[in-house]
Amino acid sequence: MEKVIEQKFKEIKDVFSYAPISEKGSPLTSVDLVQNDKHDSYYFRSLEQKNIKLNKNQIAAVRLTEGPLLIVAGAGTGKTTVLVSRIGYMLTVKQIPAANILLVTYTKKAATEMKERISTIPGITPNMNRQLYTGTFHSVFLRILREQGDQRKVLSNEKFKLVIIKKILQDMNLKDDYQPETILSMISNWKNQILRPSDIKAKTPIDEELKEIYKRYEAWKENNQYIDFDDFMLETYFLLKYEPEILKYYQNKFQYILVDEFQDTSYIQYELMKLLAAPQNNLCVVGDDAQTIYGFRGAESDFILNFHKEFANTNQVILDINYRSTSKIVGLGNEIFRKSKKKIEKHLKSMKEGMNFPKFIRPKNIGEEAEIIADKIESLVNSGEKSYKDFAILYRTNATSRAIYDEFVLRKIPFVTYGNDSLFYNNSFVKPIVDILRLSQNPNVDEAILSVASVFYLKKDEVERSLKHIETMEYIDGKQSTNKLKDVVKMMEKRLRSFQVTALQEKLLELKSLKKMTPEKAIRQIRKGNVFAYEKYLEMNKRKSLTFHKEMVMELLNELENSAKKHKTINEYLQFINQINLTHQKMGEMRTAEDANVVKLMTIHQSKGLEFDTVFLISFVENVLPHKAALFADTQEDRITRRKKEGNLSKTDEAIEEERRLAYVAITRAKNQLYMSAPLNYHAEKAKISRFLLEAIER
C-alpha cells in the first residue's frame, strides 16, 4: 500500500487531489425550522436579530434542558454558540433562576468569553449574568472552599513550590537526584486520580521515595496553612464526600450544570460533577471524543464514551456541521478518525467549499522540510496573498520543531512559540551536552560547570561551594583562574575515591579531545563514547527521567545531533545557539500581543481549541505521529499508567488511539489551507508516511 501511495504522491507532486470531500451541510436554520406558532419562537427570533441562526441539531441541544444531555460537538461546529444560547434559553424561556445554574469551563479565557457572550443574549439582565455561577474547575471549587470557611493561603507561585520541593529533597539527601518540576507533575497526577500519600502503593524504592516526598510536601502545606491548585478539587471532593449536609446544599443550589470541553475532564473532575449533579442529574456536558488528547493530564476518552451508561435516560445530540474548514479539510479529518476503535459514530459535514485540496510535501529530511516551509511562507507573504499571522506550524513534540525554529531564526521570519516556554537547547536532557561543548571551548563558565556536575557524578552544592571559594581566592590574589573546571575537580579530589578521581581526569582529557571536533561528531562522542557515556548515564539515572519515555529522550538527543550538522566548528555552533537564545527572549512581547504579525509554532496539544487560516503539519511520519512511545506502550516500564479503564484495548492500542485523535485535531485546525509534510528520512533513518494518512486515503 505504501509503495502505491508513494507513487501517487510522486506523480502529483504536492497536490493531495484525491482527498475525500465531506458532504454539504444543510443550509436550513432556525429561520426555517422554528415556526412562529411555537411557544419559544420569540427566543429564536431574538437570536436571529443578533445574527445567531442555529441549525437543526443546535436547536435540539438548546431546547433539551432537563435530565442528562451529551452534546457531541465535532470540530468547528459552534459549541460555544450552542452553550451560550442554551443558557439564554434556560434563563428566558424556562425562567430558571441564574443562581441555580453552574457553568464549568476548561480555561479562564473560555469562562470570560462565555460570560461576555451570555450578556449579549436578548433578555439577559446584568443581574442574571452576575448570579450565574461560572468559572474553571479550579476557580469554582476554590470558591466553594472559601464559602465553607477555608481560609488557607493559595500556594500559586511556581518558583516557591520548587523551593519547597528542593528543600525536601535536600533533607532527604536527594537534592541532585530528582527534578523538582517532575515531582510536582507527579503529585498533580496523583491528586487528579484522588490519591493521597497514604493511598499510594509503593512497589520500588523509587516509589517509596516519591511517596515520602509527597507526604512531606503535604505536611509542609498543612503546617504553613497553604493549599495548591490541585487541592481546590481534592479538598472539595472530600468535603462533599464526607459532609452530606454541605453536599445537599450545593446539589440544591446547582440544579442545572453545564460542563464545557468534557473530553478533557480528569477522574476527580468527573467524580465531582457526578456528586453535584445528583439526584436530579440535570447535567449537560459538551465535548468531542475525537479530541480527547490530554491523557498525560488524566483525561480519559471513556468518560465521554460511557456517559450514557453512567447516567440513565441520557439524551445525545451530535453537532455535525463544521463552519470552520473547507469540505476538503473536513473530509480528510473524517477519514483520519474513521478507523478509530473507540468512538461515537459521526460524520461531519461542511458549509465551506474552498478551492484548495490539502497539500502533501515529501522532503528528503527535516532540514529540507524546514527550508521548503520557509520558502512557501515567504513566497505567499511577499506576493501579498498572506500575512505571517495567517500561518501556524503544528508538530507532535517540541523536539520536532527544532529545524523550523533554527531556519526561521536564520531567515529572520517573525514567529512565536506557545505553551512550554523552555527552549530546545535548554531542555534538561539537552543542556548538559551543550554545556559540555561550552566547557570544551572555555572551562571557566560557572553556569556550565554547575550544569554538568551530575554528569561528572559530583554534588551540585559542593561544586557551587568550590566555585565560590575560587571566586574569593581570585579576588584576594588578583589573579583569574585559567581553568575553573580543573580547579573545582582538584579541590574535590580529596573527598573522592581513587576510581572516581580517575574517571574525572578522563573526562577532563576528553574535553581536550572534543575541542577540535565538529559539533556533530563531538555530540555523538558525548552520547555514545566510553568517557561521558551520556546515554548510559541517563539509563542508570532513572530518577532524572521519571515522567519521560526513553523514546522521547532519544528523540531529543537525535535532534540535537542533527542540529549540529550545518556547523563546522563547536564555537560557530555555540554562537548560533546564543543567537537562538536571544531570539527566544525577544518573543515574550510578541507572544502577549494577540494580533502580532507572526507565524505561530506550537505542539498539536497546544493548538486545541484554536483555528488558523493555513496550517503546516510537519513530520507526519511513523514514530513521530503516531509517536514511537505510543507504538511500544505495552513494553514500557517508564509509561505512567492510570487506573484500569473499561474495554479490552491494550496500553499500545489506547496510546495509538490518542495519537490518531492528535492527528485529527491537527488537521481540523486549518480553515482554508492544509499542508502535510512527511520527510523521507527522519534522524538518519528511512521514514514511512504516517499510517493515519495512508488509511485516510485507502480506496
Side-chain angles (χ1 to χ4, degrees), residues 549-562:
H549 307 315
K550 294 169 194 171
E551 294 81 7
M552 296 282 192
V553 176
M554 288 305 108
E555 182 181 13
L556 286 164
L557 301 186
N558 289 338
E559 195 55 56
L560 178 66
E561 193 173 313
N562 205 55

Side-chain angles (χ1 to χ4, degrees), residues 176-192:
D176 297 331
D177 295 329
Y178 289 103
Q179 292 179 332
E181 295 88 349
T182 300
I183 298 291
L184 288 172
S185 175
M186 295 201 72
I187 289 172
S188 180
N189 184 278
W190 281 323
K191 289 184 179 182
N192 269 287

Side-chain angles (χ1 to χ4, degrees), residues 638-683:
D638 53 351
R639 174 168 286 268
I640 297 173
T641 55
R642 300 185 298 280
R643 61 186 65 252
K644 186 174 174 59
K645 298 180 179 183
E646 289 187 26
N648 55 2
L649 291 187
S650 65
K651 278 199 296 183
T652 295
D653 285 341
E654 286 279 7
I656 292 173
E657 285 288 285
E658 185 156 319
E659 295 290 306
R660 183 185 297 281
R661 295 192 290 266
L662 275 167
Y664 174 81
V665 166
I667 284 162
T668 54
R669 298 311 93 196
K671 295 197 288 185
N672 295 310
Q673 184 64 72
L674 171 68
Y675 294 85
M676 295 164 292
S677 174
L680 284 160
N681 298 285
Y682 190 82
H683 293 162

Side-chain angles (χ1 to χ4, degrees), residues 2-3 5-15 359-370 372-373 617-622 675-682 685-690 693-694:
E2 173 123 4
K3 286 183 180 178
I5 300 300
E6 287 277 14
Q7 186 59 38
K8 283 186 179 180
F9 285 139
K10 191 174 180 182
E11 288 169 4
I12 60 175
K13 295 183 179 176
D14 68 339
V15 182
K359 295 193 176 183
F360 184 84
I361 307 165
R362 192 72 160 133
K364 292 176 188 173
N365 51 45
I366 58 174
E368 186 176 89
E369 177 180 63
I372 290 170
I373 291 170
L617 172 56
I618 63 172
S619 297
F620 199 8
V621 294
E622 289 288 297
Y675 294 85
M676 295 164 292
S677 174
L680 284 160
N681 298 285
Y682 190 82
E685 294 182 2
K686 284 190 177 296
K688 293 183 177 180
I689 300 165
S690 171
L693 184 53
L694 296 180

Side-chain angles (χ1 to χ4, degrees), residues 79-207:
K79 73 173 178 64
T80 303
T81 297
V82 169
L83 262 177
V84 168
S85 300
R86 189 175 189 273
I87 290 171
Y89 190 91
M90 294 164 72
L91 293 170
T92 58
V93 178
K94 291 289 188 174
Q95 297 287 300
I96 296 167
N100 292 146
I101 298 173
L102 169 64
L103 168 63
V104 186
T105 62
Y106 199 65
T107 65
K108 185 178 179 180
K109 184 180 177 182
T112 303
E113 182 192 348
M114 292 271 196
K115 288 281 274 187
E116 287 173 356
R117 289 180 63 173
I118 289 166
S119 70
T120 66
I121 296 290
I124 304 300
T125 66
N127 191 46
M128 284 179 179
N129 207 20
R130 272 194 304 273
Q131 288 183 352
L132 279 171
Y133 211 100
T134 64
T136 63
F137 278 100
H138 289 91
S139 68
V140 164
F141 294 120
L142 175 61
R143 191 169 161 188
I144 288 174
L145 289 176
R146 292 291 189 241
E147 288 172 355
Q148 294 305 311
D150 192 328
Q151 294 303 313
R152 284 175 290 178
K153 296 166 287 187
V154 175
L155 185 55
S156 57
N157 188 310
E158 290 301 314
K159 288 183 180 177
F160 189 24
K161 284 200 269 189
L162 293 174
V163 168
I164 297 163
I165 295 296
K166 285 176 183 175
K167 179 66 170 64
I168 292 168
L169 291 173
Q170 188 174 19
D171 291 345
M172 294 175 66
N173 201 28
L174 296 170
K175 185 179 176 184
D176 297 331
D177 295 329
Y178 289 103
Q179 292 179 332
E181 295 88 349
T182 300
I183 298 291
L184 288 172
S185 175
M186 295 201 72
I187 289 172
S188 180
N189 184 278
W190 281 323
K191 289 184 179 182
N192 269 287
Q193 296 301 317
I194 319 182
L195 295 173
R196 293 168 293 185
S198 58
D199 301 316
I200 294 167
K201 309 297 181 193
K203 297 177 182 176
T204 67
I206 288 179
D207 289 345

Side-chain angles (χ1 to χ4, degrees), residues 399 423-436 451 534 538 553 555-561 563 573 577:
L423 187 64
F424 170 78
Y425 297 100
N426 291 337
N427 178 277
S428 59
F429 295 103
V430 169
K431 194 173 187 299
I433 296 182
V434 173
D435 283 328
I436 290 170
S451 170
Y534 187 67
L538 290 178
V553 176
E555 182 181 13
L556 286 164
L557 301 186
N558 289 338
E559 195 55 56
L560 178 66
E561 193 173 313
S563 75
Y573 182 49
I577 292 174

Side-chain angles (χ1 to χ4, degrees), residues 186-338:
M186 295 201 72
I187 289 172
S188 180
N189 184 278
W190 281 323
K191 289 184 179 182
N192 269 287
Q193 296 301 317
I194 319 182
L195 295 173
R196 293 168 293 185
S198 58
D199 301 316
I200 294 167
K201 309 297 181 193
K203 297 177 182 176
T204 67
I206 288 179
D207 289 345
E208 285 288 357
E209 285 176 358
L210 291 168
K211 180 176 178 176
E212 180 62 23
I213 295 166
Y214 182 15
K215 184 178 176 182
R216 293 191 187 198
Y217 174 67
E218 293 303 299
W220 184 94
K221 286 193 294 139
E222 187 176 345
N223 292 337
N224 292 277
Q225 288 294 292
Y226 274 104
I227 52 173
D228 63 24
F229 284 149
D230 293 308
D231 291 329
F232 300 170
M233 292 184 289
L234 193 66
E235 295 288 328
T236 306
Y237 174 80
F238 288 115
L239 176 72
L240 299 178
K241 191 81 174 172
Y242 298 113
E243 298 287 347
E245 290 304 314
I246 294 175
L247 174 60
K248 189 174 180 182
Y249 168 78
Y250 283 104
Q251 287 174 335
N252 288 332
K253 181 177 178 63
F254 302 137
Q255 293 182 26
Y256 294 85
I257 300 174
L258 300 93
V259 182
D260 188 22
E261 299 287 7
F262 181 66
Q263 76 282 337
D264 298 330
T265 305
S266 68
Y267 178 68
I268 190 169
Q269 290 167 346
Y270 192 25
E271 291 300 308
L272 279 161
M273 287 299 101
K274 288 193 288 186
L275 280 172
L276 289 172
Q280 60 266 37
N281 289 332
N282 292 324
L283 176 62
C284 169
V285 298
V286 186
D288 184 8
D289 59 304
Q291 297 186 66
T292 308
I293 61 171
Y294 290 122
F296 63 95
R297 289 185 190 166
E300 298 185 23
S301 60
D302 285 346
F303 297 152
I304 192 167
L305 293 171
N306 298 321
F307 185 78
H308 64 288
K309 295 178 182 176
E310 188 73 47
F311 296 93
N313 305 315
T314 292
N315 281 304
Q316 177 175 292
V317 176
I318 296 178
L319 305 184
D320 60 357
I321 299 179
N322 179 296
Y323 296 92
R324 172 192 297 156
S325 310
T326 66
S327 57
K328 299 171 180 71
I329 293 170
V330 173
L332 179 59
N334 283 339
E335 292 304 306
I336 289 281
F337 193 61
R338 177 173 56 88

